[in-house]
Amino acid sequence: MLTGADPADITSDSNFDRHVLASILVAATMDGGLVSEKVGLTSHELAALLEQYFPSIRINREELLLRVKRNESDEAAMLRDLLLAQRSTEGDIGNWLAGMIARRAIEPNHLWEDLGLRGRGELSRLLGRHFAPLAARNTNNMRWKRFFYRTLCEDDGLVMCTTPVCTQCNDFNLCFGDESGESRMAERRREVLLQAAVPVAAGTWPM
């Protein structure tokens, strides 16, 4: 509904960018609360994003009047700064995505899930497109969230694991384990279909 196009049509970079932004906005909306806070943007940044990419959508007037500022944790701020320093595209979208990824990264699920994406592959494409120097450093295909925090630690001269080789580390499965799962959009779609099917199953479907 946001993009006005088939979600599967992401072959072009422009369609992919719109898909990514729409996915993050929807995932944040599902969490409840102020959308701007949930996506790590100020209310004016969110309004600018909507105007540029989804002009038919208007930010809630009350949210805009709140003039929400970026109220991020130290953890999110560090990750946002890391991403900003590794941008590989021009324009506002890199700035917005840095804040959005950093904010969604503090949620508990796989990062691709909390960004509303359909799989790790879409997240890898997103990072490779907009934050290429950073993405290129993940040579061992580590989970992206773990990779971000490991990079932050290494940049500060710290290490996440006491062993010099990843395969000998007790956290190996946390860093390199499987990232399969159902996307949040697919999960929500299934819930809606199940709710719609309940009246039919109970024989109470309105005539």
Side-chain angles (χ1 to χ4, degrees), residues 65-154:
L65 290 174
L66 286 174
R67 299 184 182 278
V68 176
K69 297 180 179 180
R70 184 177 288 106
N71 183 22
E72 58 190 357
S73 64
D74 291 342
E75 177 183 332
M78 291 172 62
L79 179 51
R80 180 170 59 86
D81 289 345
L82 172 66
L83 290 165
L84 286 173
Q86 301 288 321
R87 287 184 55 194
S88 51
T89 51
E90 301 295 330
D92 292 325
I93 189 170
N95 290 325
W96 294 333
L97 284 172
M100 297 170 95
I101 293 170
R103 171 59 183 84
R104 301 307 293 171
I106 67 176
E107 298 297 328
N109 306 300
H110 293 311
L111 181 55
W112 66 265
E113 292 177 314
D114 285 319
L115 290 173
L117 302 177
R118 291 175 291 196
R120 175 185 165 89
E122 289 190 347
L123 175 56
S124 296
R125 178 179 173 183
L126 159 62
L127 296 172
R129 168 164 163 71
H130 291 285
F131 307 98
L134 180 62
R137 294 169 61 180
N138 189 6
T139 55
N140 293 318
N141 203 31
M142 180 180 284
R143 290 185 184 182
W144 285 111
K145 191 184 295 188
R146 300 289 293 185
F147 171 74
F148 291 155
Y149 293 129
R150 179 180 181 180
T151 301
L152 288 171
C153 287
E154 289 178 345

Side-chain angles (χ1 to χ4, degrees), residues 188-206:
R188 177 58 179 159
R189 188 179 306 112
R190 180 168 48 81
E191 290 175 356
V192 170
L193 291 174
L194 286 174
Q195 290 172 0
V198 169
V200 176
T204 59
W205 189 262

